[in-house]
Amino acid sequence: MKRKIYVAYGSNMDLAQMAYRCPQAKLLGKGLMKDWQLLFKGSQTGSYATIEQAGNHEVPVLLWEISRSDEARLNVYEGYPKFYYKKTVQVKTENGLVTGMVYIMHEERETGIPSAEYYDVLEQAYKEFGFDLKILQEACRVSHDKSRQNM
């Protein structure tokens, strides 16, 4: 069974949701994506986490080892390839750089504000894994400011 490393920065940092979505996934640890920024963008169903390249920013992530069937389930959940696309990225971990696959929302999507329920899932994961809550809060603020500019 071929497995790959999946980089999660949104609701797939929630252990229970990930266990449900990807029953064969194994949590490998955490890391940071340097020169990437967390944002919220959306569709008609709401605003969700995404990342964009941006100097002097970083995004905390979890690294998962996933199977092909886990990836197939993630493809459906993430709306791949229409809503999110895949990219190979480098993640800084305490043991050095790790290469993995990440889902990124198409850049032309408009920024927006996540639902309180969705934000709470991310906030809980940030607390559970010791991530800097300021990154999550800034993502909300920046996404809100950009969405107001687009009105």
Side-chain angles (χ1 to χ4, degrees):
M1 170 177 23
K2 186 160 170 46
R3 298 178 72 81
K4 68 168 47 170
I5 294 177
Y6 162 57
V7 180
Y9 56 81
S11 64
N12 289 332
M13 292 191 302
D14 181 272
L15 300 179
Q17 287 188 43
M18 203 50 190
Y20 174 77
R21 289 179 193 138
C22 300
Q24 297 172 337
K26 177 184 169 194
L27 181 61
L28 298 176
K30 57 186 185 176
L32 280 175
M33 291 181 64
K34 297 283 190 180
D35 297 323
W36 288 85
Q37 181 177 22
L38 181 68
L39 293 169
F40 293 98
K41 291 188 172 185
S43 67
Q44 294 176 342
T45 62
S47 292
Y48 306 97
T50 189
I51 54 174
E52 289 184 358
Q53 288 190 292
N56 299 321
H57 288 85
E58 59 187 23
V59 177
V61 298
L62 293 183
L63 300 169
W64 294 91
E65 183 181 72
I66 60 171
S67 67
R68 282 189 176 154
S69 60
D70 289 331
E71 184 175 358
R73 285 187 206 61
L74 283 175
N75 286 344
V76 171
Y77 175 75
E78 300 292 353
Y80 169 82
K82 188 174 182 180
F83 197 50
Y84 284 85
Y85 63 92
K86 297 179 192 180
K87 184 174 179 76
T88 300
V89 295
Q90 295 279 307
V91 176
K92 182 182 173 194
T93 71
E94 61 185 20
N95 298 319
L97 289 179
V98 172
T99 301
M101 178 272 295
V102 70
Y103 290 91
I104 300 174
M105 195 180 298
H106 289 285
E107 286 78 6
E108 69 274 3
R109 297 273 179 177
E110 296 288 331
T111 53
I113 312 235
S115 69
E117 295 82 12
Y118 183 80
Y119 182 88
D120 288 347
V121 168
L122 273 63
E123 183 178 60
Q124 187 58 43
Y126 268 63
K127 289 177 180 175
E128 183 173 349
F129 292 100
F131 296 149
D132 185 352
L133 273 173
K134 289 179 188 163
I135 295 170
L136 184 58
Q137 293 160 351
E138 163 125 347
C140 258
R141 185 187 59 74
V142 168
S143 298
H144 178 261
D145 291 351
K146 284 185 176 185
S147 68
R148 292 185 67 187
Q149 292 170 3
N150 293 332
M151 290 180 156

